Amino acid sequence: MEIFLIRLLQFMLAIGLLVLLHEGGHFFFAKLFGVRVDKFYLFFDPSIWKWDGSLFKWKPKGSDTQYGVGWLPLGGYCKIAGMVDESFDTEQMKQPEQPWEFRAKPAWQRLLIMIGGVLVNFLLALFIYSMILFHWGDTYIPVKDMTLGMKFNTEAKALGFQDGDILLGTDQGAFKDFSADLYRDLSEAKRVDLIRDGKQMSLTLPGDLNLLGMLKAEPSFVRPIIPAEIDSVMADSPAQKVGLQKGDKIVAFNGKPIDSYNEFTDQIGILEDMMTAAKTQADSLKLRTTTMVVSRSDESGVQSEDTLSVVLSPELKVGFFVKTIAGIYEPYTREYGFFESIPAGIKYGWNVLAGYVNDMKYVFTADGAKSLGGFGAIGSLFPPMWDWYMFWKMTAFLSIILAFMNILPIPALDGGHVLFLIYEMITRRKPSETFMIRAEYVGFGILILLMVVANLNDILRWLGYM
């Protein structure tokens, strides 16, 4: 429960900040061009019976704008006078046009008002990334330094990869760290450079591997090799009960040879699949009772192997930990001065945006639709403990996503309004208000459908159906 609340708080703080600044972008340009803003709200405020839906509201003396907080935490809005928006205020649009209304302003001013939110979100992301680099620097483990090499699945091995290969880069450039960017580079590469058995060599790749399939594959397409050496043992765990201790190396599990911790987790995954067919507690206990062969050395350094009978927990946990990648390799940190951090942050943010845009093509596939996530998926991206570095990094990433999603040419989004304004600027003809209202309804329906699908996916994943 504590982890859930910490993630929820980080999510709400990040979304609240991003929504306020996004709507603030619209507000700034509206006020700059003399357009009246009727309401500026964090969260939505649909009325319920005789309640207007506001948790808080305030209207400064002499101001046309009411500021407030609504009860429905799905975003926020800036209600601009004389504009067809999500408020569907058709009565206002039936009145004679006023000079302080959005519709009375030149197209270029209306265009700036509409892109104001996206502009603020994008610039905010670049600023946050720059300040992250300035304050924390860029810490990572270079892929070329992962001298134990990588573990590959059968699909990767069919392309010529072998367990233990040390990856260097592709025809698109050297690998930096082990992240989604490495997968993306491999999916688009025609050539990959690596070290095998101490010799540098290259493999030919097709250049059009399915990135989503690579990321979702079980076992993973590629992952750093982690030795199957026990680093610590949990108290009162199956591992402690059978005498496992720090330094023990697992060499076999459930009758299968183990060459790494990666292979151990693969075997646990096979057991998980088998557990779905267990109909009784006896069936479950039989599957959970297995053998483990460990290699250990005594005080004089003599190696020996012991075969242990282990009863795994109902969650198929043994109860030990191995070293993480950061515990195996020395991380590298590049520090940035203030003026160095700005172009570096801009480049970093631009690469994040480019990668996100490139991956959007997978949304229109069956697997892509299943991978959509709602509020639960987004919230789970935040760390289970409060970490300002990860909080700001996730906030910047969400700001990039918010900017890109809002500029999509879908009615009811900023991008839909921008599309119609560009049409007007080219043709010198305004779309009719009837058309704009209908388009807003269609766009709003599309957004509701996407939201339902994304959050339904979250529920199905939580129930174990996806």
Side-chain angles (χ1 to χ4, degrees):
M1 187 62 177
E2 181 182 355
I3 290 175
F4 170 78
L5 291 176
I6 290 174
R7 281 181 165 151
L8 178 64
L9 182 59
Q10 291 180 88
F11 173 71
M12 295 295 289
L13 180 58
I15 291 299
L17 175 65
L18 296 180
V19 168
L20 277 176
L21 292 174
H22 177 91
E23 299 303 332
H26 296 308
F27 184 89
F28 171 78
F29 282 105
K31 289 295 186 180
L32 180 66
F33 299 129
V35 177
R36 193 176 77 187
V37 178
D38 295 327
K39 297 178 77 174
F40 185 91
Y41 263 62
L42 174 63
F43 306 150
F44 294 109
D45 60 334
S47 57
I48 301 176
W49 195 37
K50 295 183 180 181
W51 179 43
D52 67 0
S54 299
L55 297 176
F56 164 80
K57 59 183 178 181
W58 173 62
K59 189 172 185 179
K61 187 176 181 180
S63 173
D64 296 317
T65 307
Q66 176 179 295
Y67 303 88
V69 178
W71 66 269
L72 187 60
L74 297 181
Y77 69 98
C78 180
K79 188 176 183 306
I80 298 173
M83 174 184 168
V84 178
D85 60 11
E86 62 271 13
S87 68
F88 300 108
D89 188 356
T90 56
E91 291 302 316
Q92 185 185 60
M93 302 303 292
K94 294 177 182 178
Q95 304 302 317
E97 185 178 288
Q98 300 298 328
W100 35 260
E101 287 186 325
F102 177 82
R103 55 182 168 169
K105 300 300 178 180
W108 68 270
Q109 292 186 5
R110 285 180 279 136
L111 181 64
L112 285 175
I113 292 171
M114 291 317 306
I115 67 173
V118 168
L119 182 63
V120 166
N121 279 133
F122 186 60
L123 293 178
L124 174 67
L126 299 183
F127 174 76
I128 293 175
Y129 281 131
S130 297
M131 293 303 98
I132 287 174
L133 293 176
F134 172 63
H135 188 271
W136 284 284
D138 189 12
T139 300
Y140 61 95
I141 299 170
V143 175
K144 64 180 179 61
D145 291 347
M146 296 182 181
T147 52
L148 294 177
M150 298 288 167
K151 185 82 172 175
F152 299 90
N153 67 8
T154 53
E155 289 78 9
K157 289 177 179 176
L159 294 169
F161 291 103
Q162 292 183 13
D163 290 343
D165 287 347
I166 301 171
L167 299 179
L168 300 176
T170 68
D171 49 332
Q172 303 182 41
F175 293 127
K176 179 187 174 185
D177 56 357
F178 188 82
S179 64
D181 288 337
L182 181 142
Y183 277 82
R184 189 176 292 111
D185 288 349
L186 286 174
S187 70
E188 299 172 352
K190 296 290 184 70
R191 187 196 80 244
V192 58
D193 302 321
L194 52 87
I195 295 175
R196 179 180 296 168
D197 298 326
K199 298 179 180 179
Q200 185 167 332
M201 59 175 292
S202 299
L203 296 177
T204 300
L205 296 180
D208 59 352
L209 295 175
N210 186 304
L211 175 61
L212 189 60
M214 294 168 68
L215 290 169
K216 294 182 68 176
E218 290 292 341
S220 301
F221 183 89
V222 57
R223 53 207 159 136
I225 287 179
I226 298 176
E229 181 175 334
I230 295 172
D231 188 56
S232 61
V233 176
M234 293 178 62
D236 299 322
S237 65
Q240 187 187 55
K241 291 174 183 177
V242 297
L244 286 176
Q245 52 192 328
K246 180 180 176 68
D248 287 351
K249 295 180 181 179
I250 304 171
V251 296
F253 177 77
N254 203 25
K256 304 292 183 181
I258 298 296
D259 60 7
S260 63
Y261 182 68
N262 312 73
E263 186 67 33
F264 175 80
T265 58
D266 291 346
Q267 292 302 320
I268 291 292
I270 293 173
L271 273 183
E272 287 176 346
D273 294 338
M274 296 171 65
M275 284 286 285
T276 59
K279 297 180 180 180
T280 66
Q281 287 187 348
D283 292 337
S284 172
L285 181 61
K286 184 178 179 180
L287 288 171
R288 290 190 291 113
T289 303
T290 184
T291 58
M292 182 182 295
V293 180
V294 297
S295 172
R296 54 176 51 140
S297 56
D298 59 22
E299 295 179 355
S300 60
V302 177
Q303 293 281 334
S304 63
E305 289 188 356
D306 289 338
T307 300
L308 309 173
S309 179
V310 184
V311 179
L312 307 183
S313 73
E315 298 80 22
L316 299 183
K317 303 296 184 184
V318 186
F320 67 85
F321 298 99
V322 296
K323 287 184 178 179
T324 63
I325 292 295
I328 299 171
Y329 303 107
E330 185 72 26
Y332 166 78
T333 299
R334 179 178 177 182
E335 297 183 350
Y336 291 85
F338 180 79
F339 293 106
E340 285 181 302
S341 69
I342 295 173
I346 292 173
K347 181 180 179 181
Y348 188 97
W350 184 258
N351 288 340
V352 170
L353 176 62
Y356 184 77
V357 172
N358 184 63
D359 297 345
M360 282 296 292
K361 61 188 176 186
Y362 295 106
V363 172
F364 304 102
T365 66
D367 285 340
K370 292 179 182 178
S371 68
L372 287 174
F375 299 117
I378 296 173
S380 67
L381 295 175
F382 288 92
M385 59 188 70
W386 198 277
D387 183 330
W388 281 111
Y389 170 78
M390 288 304 301
F391 170 80
W392 286 116
K393 196 168 185 179
M394 276 307 308
T395 300
F397 179 63
L398 292 178
S399 195
I400 288 275
I401 293 177
L402 188 59
F404 175 73
M405 295 301 293
N406 264 284
I407 205 61
L408 291 176
I410 299 174
L413 291 178
D414 297 343
H417 292 282
V418 168
L419 178 65
F420 297 138
L421 281 167
I422 292 175
Y423 166 82
E424 178 186 340
M425 294 171 75
I426 294 173
T427 64
R428 306 286 181 177
R429 293 169 51 194
K430 276 187 179 183
S432 69
E433 289 176 2
T434 300
F435 171 81
M436 293 293 289
I437 290 171
R438 289 176 178 173
E440 195 77 10
Y441 276 113
V442 171
F444 199 73
I446 292 172
L447 295 181
I448 292 296
L449 178 61
L450 288 174
M451 188 177 296
V452 169
V453 170
N455 286 284
L456 180 60
N457 284 349
D458 283 353
I459 294 171
L460 292 176
R461 277 189 284 266
W462 180 66
L463 293 175
Y465 292 106
M466 287 182 66

PDB file of all heavy atoms in Angstrom, residues 1 80 82 170 281 294 368 406:
ATOM      1  N   MET A   1       0.825  -1.205   0.000  1.00  0.00           N
ATOM      2  CA  MET A   1       0.000   0.000   0.000  1.00  0.00           C
ATOM      3  C   MET A   1       0.863   1.260   0.000  1.00  0.00           C
ATOM      4  O   MET A   1       0.569   2.249  -0.667  1.00  0.00           O
ATOM      5  CB  MET A   1      -0.920  -0.011   1.233  1.00  0.00           C
ATOM      6  CG  MET A   1      -1.931   1.121   1.221  1.00  0.00           C
ATOM      7  SD  MET A   1      -3.059   1.030  -0.186  1.00  0.00           S
ATOM      8  CE  MET A   1      -4.137   2.417   0.132  1.00  0.00           C
ATOM      9  N   ILE A  80     -11.420  29.209 -23.301  1.00  0.00           N
ATOM     10  CA  ILE A  80     -11.151  30.459 -24.010  1.00  0.00           C
ATOM     11  C   ILE A  80     -12.434  30.929 -24.687  1.00  0.00           C
ATOM     12  O   ILE A  80     -13.105  30.157 -25.380  1.00  0.00           O
ATOM     13  CB  ILE A  80     -10.033  30.255 -25.050  1.00  0.00           C
ATOM     14  CG1 ILE A  80      -8.738  29.844 -24.332  1.00  0.00           C
ATOM     15  CG2 ILE A  80      -9.823  31.492 -25.889  1.00  0.00           C
ATOM     16  CD1 ILE A  80      -7.608  29.462 -25.256  1.00  0.00           C
ATOM     17  N   GLY A  82     -15.196  32.317 -27.107  1.00  0.00           N
ATOM     18  CA  GLY A  82     -15.338  32.344 -28.557  1.00  0.00           C
ATOM     19  C   GLY A  82     -14.632  31.232 -29.280  1.00  0.00           C
ATOM     20  O   GLY A  82     -14.210  31.389 -30.420  1.00  0.00           O
ATOM     21  N   THR A 170      26.262  -0.531 -34.116  1.00  0.00           N
ATOM     22  CA  THR A 170      25.712  -0.912 -35.415  1.00  0.00           C
ATOM     23  C   THR A 170      26.198   0.069 -36.468  1.00  0.00           C
ATOM     24  O   THR A 170      26.999   0.972 -36.175  1.00  0.00           O
ATOM     25  CB  THR A 170      24.173  -0.885 -35.385  1.00  0.00           C
ATOM     26  OG1 THR A 170      23.732   0.478 -35.253  1.00  0.00           O
ATOM     27  CG2 THR A 170      23.623  -1.705 -34.231  1.00  0.00           C
ATOM     28  N   GLN A 281      -3.733 -28.492  -4.968  1.00  0.00           N
ATOM     29  CA  GLN A 281      -2.579 -28.095  -4.168  1.00  0.00           C
ATOM     30  C   GLN A 281      -1.455 -29.121  -4.286  1.00  0.00           C
ATOM     31  O   GLN A 281      -0.275 -28.772  -4.264  1.00  0.00           O
ATOM     32  CB  GLN A 281      -2.984 -27.934  -2.703  1.00  0.00           C
ATOM     33  CG  GLN A 281      -3.814 -26.692  -2.436  1.00  0.00           C
ATOM     34  CD  GLN A 281      -4.053 -26.465  -0.957  1.00  0.00           C
ATOM     35  OE1 GLN A 281      -3.790 -27.329  -0.127  1.00  0.00           O
ATOM     36  NE2 GLN A 281      -4.547 -25.281  -0.620  1.00  0.00           N
ATOM     37  N   VAL A 294      24.412 -26.688  -6.564  1.00  0.00           N
ATOM     38  CA  VAL A 294      25.224 -25.492  -6.346  1.00  0.00           C
ATOM     39  C   VAL A 294      26.685 -25.886  -6.200  1.00  0.00           C
ATOM     40  O   VAL A 294      27.018 -26.961  -5.690  1.00  0.00           O
ATOM     41  CB  VAL A 294      24.767 -24.712  -5.084  1.00  0.00           C
ATOM     42  CG1 VAL A 294      23.344 -24.218  -5.256  1.00  0.00           C
ATOM     43  CG2 VAL A 294      24.901 -25.552  -3.831  1.00  0.00           C
ATOM     44  N   GLY A 368       0.591  -3.882 -30.621  1.00  0.00           N
ATOM     45  CA  GLY A 368       0.721  -2.498 -30.185  1.00  0.00           C
ATOM     46  C   GLY A 368      -0.492  -2.039 -29.407  1.00  0.00           C
ATOM     47  O   GLY A 368      -0.374  -1.353 -28.387  1.00  0.00           O
ATOM     48  N   ASN A 406      -0.734  15.794 -27.929  1.00  0.00           N
ATOM     49  CA  ASN A 406      -1.626  16.924 -28.119  1.00  0.00           C
ATOM     50  C   ASN A 406      -1.512  17.561 -29.497  1.00  0.00           C
ATOM     51  O   ASN A 406      -2.435  18.244 -29.929  1.00  0.00           O
ATOM     52  CB  ASN A 406      -1.372  17.991 -27.042  1.00  0.00           C
ATOM     53  CG  ASN A 406      -2.331  17.863 -25.886  1.00  0.00           C
ATOM     54  OD1 ASN A 406      -3.490  18.240 -25.970  1.00  0.00           O
ATOM     55  ND2 ASN A 406      -1.855  17.298 -24.794  1.00  0.00           N
TER      56      ASN A 406
END
